[in-house]
Amino acid sequence: MKVGVLTGGGDCPGLNAVIRAVVRKGVQEYDYGFVGFKDGWRGAVEGNTVPLDIPAVRGILPRGGTILGSSRTNPFKTENGVRSIKENLAKFEVDALIAIGGEDTLGVAAKLYEEYGIPCVGVPKTIDNDLSATDYTFGFDTAVGIATEAIDRLHTTAESHMRVLVVEVMGRHAGWIALHSGLAGGANVILIPEQRFDIDKVCAWVTSRFKASYAPIVVVAEGAMPTDGELVLKDATTDSFGHVRLSGVGEWLAKEIEARTGKEARTTVLGHIQRGGTPSAFDRWLATRFGLHAVDAVRDGDFGKMVALKGTDIVRVPIIEATSKLKTVDPALYEEVGVFFG
């Protein structure tokens, strides 16, 4: 058996831990051979590969990013993309694929399996934690830790100058990072994509905080929208999966708050800092377990499945189930933390 491995979409901490676990167990226990496709689905389309063996994965457990590279390539939007993948799998004698990625990467894997019979196993990766059918995705815990540390640091400068500090975090459709880091960091306002916000109410919370002689911290996910507005875009161009580039809601919000309250407001955009650097202990643990169970699924011939965390158990679920609907913040959960607003 020869297994192909690829990492697609945005990079995140823990990808290398999956690769390491897949190769270590696959070689040592099943005598499998491995090949890595460079830069996600682009490598599978173009036939760009690197050999993967145990020496190749030594020392990569604590490293962020991915040794295989990544991209947002959609083979279904590439000329002869699927045919090229099938040809390259035959060329490199690859019997099965392990695709490590989020909604878009795994959506491609699901379609390749369902419509073309290409044997794929999925591993859920995204700092947004928005994949259904798994309690957590690796990368999320690290991103929340980074955002929380930033919020902790910003409290001191906000209070030194008695100004509003708006912290923009990632989260296109789901506000999990904003919710977790905002709550952990003691933010006074948390704004998420699932709940449109009233700018007047936000300003009232900010004013209330100043009356208590504290400087407010506002945490906003990049996909959050005001009740009477639309998404704030960095630019209107889209990637091959149809996504526009978000960023700017934090700057817009700071200007609105300053204009309406008369209080100085500044913005910090965490951006790709949340995706970089060494993975947390939890993300290393989760990513490693996902890798071990992914190669077991290959051994069992259980294709079209994604490994998932349920409680403390790793289970297998259909990839299509995990990608058909995003996991978003429940309104009741958001309401629960509202006691700390203002």
Side-chain angles (χ1 to χ4, degrees):
M1 173 77 77
K2 191 173 184 181
V3 182
V5 182
L6 62 84
T7 54
D11 66 294
C12 88
L15 285 166
N16 287 323
V18 180
I19 298 167
R20 170 180 173 268
V22 164
V23 173
R24 284 286 298 271
K25 187 168 189 178
V27 171
Q28 291 175 193
E29 296 201 10
Y30 305 137
D31 197 29
Y32 289 170
F34 290 90
V35 61
F37 286 99
K38 293 285 289 181
D39 304 325
W41 290 115
R42 181 191 300 160
V45 171
E46 298 178 354
N48 188 6
T49 66
V50 293
L52 282 179
D53 53 19
I54 289 179
V57 300
R58 285 199 179 110
I60 67 172
L61 175 63
R63 285 175 56 182
T66 165
I67 63 169
L68 294 178
S70 192
S71 71
R72 297 189 183 277
T73 302
N74 184 350
F76 293 102
K77 294 293 181 66
T78 304
E79 187 176 357
N80 298 321
V82 175
R83 187 177 72 183
S84 295
I85 289 175
K86 295 174 75 172
E87 290 174 351
N88 285 322
L89 293 180
K91 174 182 176 182
F92 296 104
E93 300 179 321
V94 172
D95 302 296
L97 270 176
I98 294 178
I100 311 165
E103 173 197 6
D104 296 325
T105 300
L106 296 184
V108 170
K111 192 171 182 179
L112 288 175
Y113 173 74
E114 296 289 340
E115 297 185 12
Y116 299 92
I118 295 176
C120 295
V121 170
V123 177
K125 167 244 55 165
T126 170
I127 67 167
D128 290 332
N129 196 41
D130 59 0
L131 273 177
S132 296
T134 184
D135 290 348
Y136 286 98
T137 56
F138 69 87
F140 172 68
D141 184 71
T142 304
V144 169
I146 292 168
T148 301
E149 181 182 354
I151 295 166
D152 286 345
R153 292 175 181 274
L154 289 169
H155 271 292
T156 58
T157 189
E159 291 171 8
S160 295
H161 295 275
M162 288 305 289
R163 60 165 65 116
V164 185
L165 283 184
V166 177
V167 185
E168 182 183 304
V169 299
M170 285 184 168
R172 177 180 296 272
H173 302 296
W176 294 109
I177 294 176
L179 187 73
H180 281 240
S181 65
L183 184 61
N188 312 113
V189 182
I190 301 171
L191 306 175
I192 61 175
E194 294 89 339
Q195 300 283 330
R196 284 182 176 258
F197 61 87
D198 183 336
I199 186 64
D200 290 327
K201 186 176 287 188
V202 171
C203 289
W205 285 328
V206 166
T207 302
S208 172
R209 185 68 173 174
F210 276 115
K211 286 180 179 178
S213 299
Y214 286 98
I217 299 286
V218 178
V219 175
V220 57
E222 62 186 352
M225 292 182 286
T227 51
D228 57 351
E230 299 298 330
L231 279 173
V232 179
L233 307 180
K234 193 164 188 176
D235 62 59
T237 58
T238 60
D239 63 21
S240 62
F241 290 97
H243 300 311
V244 293
R245 294 178 65 193
L246 300 183
S247 188
V249 66
E251 192 67 35
W252 176 86
L253 190 60
K255 290 177 180 177
E256 287 292 317
I257 290 172
E258 188 166 303
R260 292 168 184 249
T261 67
K263 299 293 186 180
E264 185 182 9
R266 301 286 179 86
T267 306
T268 298
V269 180
L270 296 184
H272 290 82
I273 291 173
Q274 297 157 90
R275 291 216 304 240
T278 189
S280 67
F282 178 80
D283 279 340
R284 298 184 203 191
W285 173 88
L286 181 59
T288 297
R289 292 191 70 202
F290 276 162
L292 297 175
H293 284 261
V295 79
D296 283 348
V298 171
R299 176 204 58 185
D300 296 341
D302 199 6
F303 300 116
K305 299 292 181 63
M306 181 191 84
V307 291
L309 180 69
K310 291 291 185 182
T312 57
D313 296 328
I314 305 296
V315 300
R316 300 173 194 168
V317 298
I319 301 177
I320 195 72
E321 177 185 326
T323 57
S324 59
K325 180 182 178 182
L326 288 177
K327 180 178 69 179
T328 54
V329 176
D330 189 306
L333 183 58
Y334 183 66
E335 184 178 350
E336 182 179 290
V337 304
V339 67
F340 296 106
F341 295 179

